[in-house]
């Protein structure tokens, strides 16, 4: 009797498994906070050249509440007196952020003074910048003067964070295979906390970037370990439920971050609060079990048996355990270690699988690019950044839940992905012509659809690859997705050249992905999970071949 068969006997998703799933899913909330905090701590603040002669009197503006019209009127008087107007958009004057009128300014500020009366020539901001604090008290953009020729550094910090995701994806899998999921999870929590606290005390942008990298490494490790623990503790027919628990609470983390950012407008204080949100996870140290699958793979059969019996006891099904449990586990381990070990090269040697892998290696980054691009830019899709970010997180929860019935409906896996991608792409294209409430609505439609697509692509990818290379295929596709997340912050800077360009880029990539899937990949709903490379080639060559229906999760053991 195999381990999965034992789980079916004692309860595939009993009270004990549900408790563990809920606990590790809750651990995703601080992971989401650390991931998306850059939307607020790296936010661009309205700024213009400071006039050194007026610096003392300009500070008096802060005597009024920062969110009051009195404060705004006060600082704008200093701006209007020294900064040239460069454009008029929607009836509003746009002031230069990097140049000021080139004159010798008087020592005392006067409301009647206007430097443009004396000259049309300008000079660069030699005395620093003045920042409008009505929306944010401080961000790294204001703290480290990430404006003008340094503006790109603000979004680059998030690309560095996602590069940490890429590194962490490799490290987490390797470390977890050596020391187990349990210890990898808590080591990642510790690194995330320490790097997050250090980030809050960054003396310069370069130290901030280093800390952000380590937060990224630890953050993705927490996510992966939570996902693996949740999916490995339940039975084969329930693993898709364990798989969606983490993405769903990630969306809830969005909602929490919007509320925190609204209440805490100073980036250093917000960063400390978000880092400290990891501390309650340490309460799980005596509760979380090690993965029984990892223990069995590492020949720790006594501990494996102990955990299985604990699950059965908590599910009130101890009487259903086989008498020779340990011997069964040892026999299954021997059978699993006898087979050939495959690599990604084995996949790429097969013509049909090579094409399928190439398409998935494009679709995953395209999905990641659109998802993180819309997420990072969500605060700009409305007049109130906190409300739009809140909505952006809120739509993820129903989007994740809706995937479950859709992939099992007549739409199947393939057309759920195509439909989500298509509606999301149309929303992005239409958003380029929209403003106000319509822009916010279209952005939320796009975010809803790409969240659905992101959830469905995991299942679809697992069903495309044969069992012998399934973990390799999913891992390689997930790694390719990191390219999209790294590029997402960079694409936002395209708006400096043409404002709709990021949205056009997301929509175009989605359309290309749709065409590739439509032309070259089959529907997998109701099809057998192919076991070997030969079966995988035969299925891709003729999706209507002899294979019979089977549930993907009955064969797909989650591995790093």
């Amino acid at each position: 009797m195999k381990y999965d068969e034992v789980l079916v006997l004692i309860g595939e998703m009993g009270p004990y498994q549900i408790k563990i799933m809920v606990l590790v899913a809750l651990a995703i909330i601080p992971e989401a906070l650390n991931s998306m905090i850059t939307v607020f701590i790296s936010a661009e603040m309205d700024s213009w050249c400071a006039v050194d002669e007026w610096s003392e009197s300009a500070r008096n503006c802060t005597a009024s509440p920062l969110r009051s019209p009195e404060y705004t009127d006060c600082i704008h008087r200093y701006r209007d007196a020294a900064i040239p107007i460069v454009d008029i958009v929607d009836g509003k004057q746009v002031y230069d952020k990097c140049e000021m009128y080139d004159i010798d300014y008087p020592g005392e500020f006067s409301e009647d003074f206007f430097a443009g009366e004396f000259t049309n020539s300008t000079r660069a901001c030699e005395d620093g910048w003045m920042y409008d604090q009505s929306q944010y008290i401080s961000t790294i953009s204001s703290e480290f003067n990430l404006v003008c020729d340094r503006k790109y550094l603000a979004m680059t910090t998030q690309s560095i964070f996602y590069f940490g995701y890429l590194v962490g994806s490799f490290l987490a899998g390797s470390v977890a295979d050596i020391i187990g999921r349990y210890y990898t999870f808590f080591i990642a929590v510790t690194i995330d906390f320490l790097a997050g606290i250090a980030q809050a005390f960054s003396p310069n942008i370069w130290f901030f970037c280093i800390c952000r990298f380590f937060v990224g490494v630890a953050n993705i490790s927490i996510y992966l370990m939570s996902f693996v623990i949740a999916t490995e503790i339940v039975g084969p027919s329930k693993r898709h439920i364990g798989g969606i628990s983490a993405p769903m609470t990630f969306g809830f983390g969005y909602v929490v971050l919007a509320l925190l950012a609204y209440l805490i407008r100073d980036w250093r204080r917000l960063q400390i609060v978000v880092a400290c949100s990891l501390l309650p996870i340490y309460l799980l140290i005596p509760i979380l079990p090690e993965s029984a699958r990892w223990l069995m793979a590492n020949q720790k059969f006594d501990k494996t048996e102990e955990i299985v019996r604990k699950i059965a006891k908590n599910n009130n099904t101890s009487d259903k355990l086989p008498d020779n449990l340990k011997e069964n586990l040892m026999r299954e381990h021997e059978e699993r270690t006898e087979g050939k070990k495959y690599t990604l090269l084995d996949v790429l040697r097969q013509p049909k699988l090579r094409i399928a892998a190439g398409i998935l290696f494009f679709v995953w980054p395209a999905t990641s690019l659109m998802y993180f691009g819309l997420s990072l830019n969500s605060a700009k899709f409305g007049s109130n950044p906190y409300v739009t970010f809140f909505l952006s997180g809120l739509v993820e929860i129903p989007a994740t839940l809706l995937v479950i019935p859709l992939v099992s409906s007549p739409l199947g896996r393939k057309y759920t992905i195509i439909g989500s991608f298509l509606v999301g792409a149309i929303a992005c294209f239409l958003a380029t012509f929209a403003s106000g409430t319509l822009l916010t609505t279209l952005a939320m439609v796009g975010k809803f659809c790409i969240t659905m697509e992101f959830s469905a692509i995991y299942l679809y990818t697992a069903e495309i690859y044969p069992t012998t290379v399934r973990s390799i295929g999913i891992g390689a596709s997930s790694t390719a997705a990191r390219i999209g997340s790294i590029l997402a912050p960079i694409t936002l800077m395209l708006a400096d050249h043409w404002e709709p360009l990021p949205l056009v880029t997301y929509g175009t990539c989605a359309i290309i992905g749709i065409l590739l899937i439509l032309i070259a990949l089959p529907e997998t709903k109701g099809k057998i999970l192919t076991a070997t490379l030969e079966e995988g080639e035969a299925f891709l060559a003729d999706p209507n071949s002899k294979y019979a229906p089977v549930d993907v999760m009955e064969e797909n053991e989650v591995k790093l």
Side-chain angles (χ1 to χ4, degrees), residues 3-4 7 11-12 17 20-21 24 176-177 180-182 224-236 238-240 242-243 289-297 307-308 311 471 556-560:
Y3 176 74
D4 277 344
L7 284 178
E12 292 189 77
Q17 290 111 313
I20 298 301
M21 284 170 55
V24 295
D177 283 343
R181 282 70 160 124
Y182 177 89
L224 289 173
M225 292 304 103
S226 298
F227 180 88
V228 171
I229 291 169
T231 51
E232 288 189 341
I233 201 168
V234 296
K238 305 297 181 183
R239 284 188 200 129
H240 63 293
E290 179 54 271
S291 165
R293 292 184 184 277
W294 178 83
L295 291 168
M296 186 169 64
I307 289 174
V308 172
I311 295 172
S471 295
N556 181 27
E557 177 182 344
V558 178
K559 297 179 181 177
L560 290 175

Side-chain angles (χ1 to χ4, degrees), residues 48-64 66 70-71 74-79 107-109 129-131 133:
W48 52 87
C49 296
V51 178
D52 188 52
E53 290 85 352
W54 299 342
S55 58
E56 289 298 325
S57 59
R59 291 193 186 98
N60 294 331
C61 292
T62 57
S64 301
L66 295 179
E70 292 78 13
Y71 167 76
C74 180
I75 60 171
H76 284 177
R77 284 196 290 269
Y78 289 88
R79 178 198 64 188
E108 292 294 329
F109 173 74
W129 286 262
M130 189 172 181
Y131 294 92
Q133 296 178 292

Side-chain angles (χ1 to χ4, degrees), residues 55-128:
S55 58
E56 289 298 325
S57 59
R59 291 193 186 98
N60 294 331
C61 292
T62 57
S64 301
L66 295 179
R67 301 180 205 176
S68 68
E70 292 78 13
Y71 167 76
T72 305
D73 291 341
C74 180
I75 60 171
H76 284 177
R77 284 196 290 269
Y78 289 88
R79 178 198 64 188
D80 298 349
I83 309 301
I85 297 171
V86 293
D87 199 0
I88 297 178
V89 178
D90 297 329
K92 295 182 179 180
Q93 296 172 331
V94 178
Y95 289 83
D96 201 313
K97 295 179 180 296
C98 305
E99 299 280 337
M100 62 189 294
Y101 286 116
D102 186 13
I103 67 167
D104 292 327
Y105 287 86
E108 292 294 329
F109 173 74
S110 170
E111 293 188 16
D112 298 328
F113 180 83
F114 176 52
E117 293 180 350
F118 305 97
T119 184
N120 288 323
S121 63
T122 60
R123 67 171 186 255
C125 301
E126 299 172 351
D127 303 317

Side-chain angles (χ1 to χ4, degrees), residues 8 49 63 67 124 224 243 417 425 444 486 501 530 544:
V8 171
C49 296
R67 301 180 205 176
L224 289 173
I417 291 170
M444 294 308 110
I486 290 170
L501 190 53
T530 55
N544 297 314

Side-chain angles (χ1 to χ4, degrees), residues 254-327:
Y254 260 61
V255 173
V256 173
L257 178 58
L259 297 173
L260 287 175
Y262 177 79
L263 295 172
I264 307 170
R265 306 290 182 100
D266 176 80
W267 82 268
R268 292 185 186 272
R269 293 178 182 177
L270 179 61
Q271 178 60 51
I272 290 172
V273 170
V274 166
C276 289
S277 69
L278 291 157
L279 294 177
I281 297 178
Y282 287 111
L283 296 175
L284 302 182
I285 289 176
I287 300 174
L288 286 188
E290 179 54 271
S291 165
R293 292 184 184 277
W294 178 83
L295 291 168
M296 186 169 64
N298 287 271
Q299 303 182 55
K300 300 178 184 292
F301 301 111
D302 290 333
K303 289 292 294 183
T304 307
E305 182 181 17
E306 180 183 325
I307 289 174
V308 172
R309 293 192 181 280
K310 185 176 182 179
I311 295 172
K313 180 180 178 181
N314 282 272
N315 290 348
N316 295 316
T317 54
S318 297
D319 57 317
K320 297 183 179 180
L321 284 170
D323 296 331
N324 55 345
L325 174 60
K326 183 177 177 181
E327 289 73 15

Side-chain angles (χ1 to χ4, degrees), residues 134-432:
S134 58
Q135 187 71 262
Y136 307 101
I137 295 176
S138 72
T139 66
I140 64 168
S141 296
S142 64
E143 186 98 9
F144 304 129
N145 288 327
L146 306 184
V147 292
C148 300
D149 60 343
R150 286 166 54 88
K151 181 181 176 181
Y152 72 96
L153 288 172
M155 279 295 102
T156 301
T157 61
Q158 192 64 2
S159 289
I160 291 171
F161 171 82
Y162 288 128
F163 181 67
Y165 260 37
L166 178 63
V167 174
S169 298
F170 287 108
L171 284 180
S174 300
V175 173
D177 283 343
I178 297 170
I179 66 174
R181 282 70 160 124
Y182 177 89
Y183 289 108
T184 303
F185 177 79
F186 286 106
I187 289 172
V189 170
T190 302
I191 294 172
D192 209 353
F193 171 71
L194 294 176
I197 292 294
Q199 182 177 303
F201 293 94
S202 298
N204 54 57
I205 187 60
W206 308 114
F207 186 87
F208 181 92
C209 288
I210 293 171
C211 294
R212 197 76 184 132
F213 169 79
F214 283 106
V215 170
V217 171
N219 236 41
I220 190 61
S221 300
I222 293 172
Y223 187 93
L224 289 173
M225 292 304 103
S226 298
F227 180 88
V228 171
I229 291 169
T231 51
E232 288 189 341
I233 201 168
V234 296
S237 69
K238 305 297 181 183
R239 284 188 200 129
H240 63 293
I241 299 176
I244 70 163
S245 60
M248 189 166 61
T249 50
F250 192 91
F252 185 71
Y254 260 61
V255 173
V256 173
L257 178 58
L259 297 173
L260 287 175
Y262 177 79
L263 295 172
I264 307 170
R265 306 290 182 100
D266 176 80
W267 82 268
R268 292 185 186 272
R269 293 178 182 177
L270 179 61
Q271 178 60 51
I272 290 172
V273 170
V274 166
C276 289
S277 69
L278 291 157
L279 294 177
I281 297 178
Y282 287 111
L283 296 175
L284 302 182
I285 289 176
I287 300 174
L288 286 188
E290 179 54 271
S291 165
R293 292 184 184 277
W294 178 83
L295 291 168
M296 186 169 64
N298 287 271
Q299 303 182 55
K300 300 178 184 292
F301 301 111
D302 290 333
K303 289 292 294 183
T304 307
E305 182 181 17
E306 180 183 325
I307 289 174
V308 172
R309 293 192 181 280
K310 185 176 182 179
I311 295 172
K313 180 180 178 181
N314 282 272
N315 290 348
N316 295 316
T317 54
S318 297
D319 57 317
K320 297 183 179 180
L321 284 170
D323 296 331
N324 55 345
L325 174 60
K326 183 177 177 181
E327 289 73 15
N328 282 325
L329 297 174
M330 294 174 68
R331 190 179 306 114
E332 180 180 357
H333 171 73
E334 291 173 1
E335 292 173 359
R336 284 180 178 272
T337 54
E338 286 175 359
K340 176 187 174 182
K341 301 296 183 183
Y342 291 91
T343 68
L344 183 60
L345 288 177
D346 293 302
V347 176
L348 299 179
R349 290 190 184 103
Q350 311 299 316
K352 297 295 183 182
L353 280 169
R354 182 166 61 242
I355 293 171
I359 292 171
L360 291 171
F361 289 168
F362 175 84
V363 171
W364 275 73
T367 301
S368 184
L369 176 68
M370 186 172 174
Y371 174 84
F372 286 107
L374 291 176
S375 298
L376 294 173
N377 209 32
S378 58
K380 295 182 180 180
F381 290 133
S383 57
N384 189 315
Y386 305 101
V387 172
T388 52
F389 187 83
F390 178 91
L391 293 174
S392 179
L394 195 63
V395 298
E396 287 201 13
I397 300 173
T400 304
L401 292 174
L402 187 58
V403 167
I404 300 174
L406 280 181
V407 295
S408 301
S409 74
L411 278 176
R413 281 67 152 145
K414 178 177 177 176
Y415 288 99
T416 295
I417 291 170
I418 288 174
S420 301
F421 239 168
L422 180 60
V423 176
I426 292 172
C428 285
F429 288 134
L430 292 177
T432 63

Side-chain angles (χ1 to χ4, degrees), residues 436-447:
T437 304
L438 180 59
L439 173 60
T440 304
T441 302
L442 290 171
M444 294 308 110
V445 170
K447 184 65 185 301

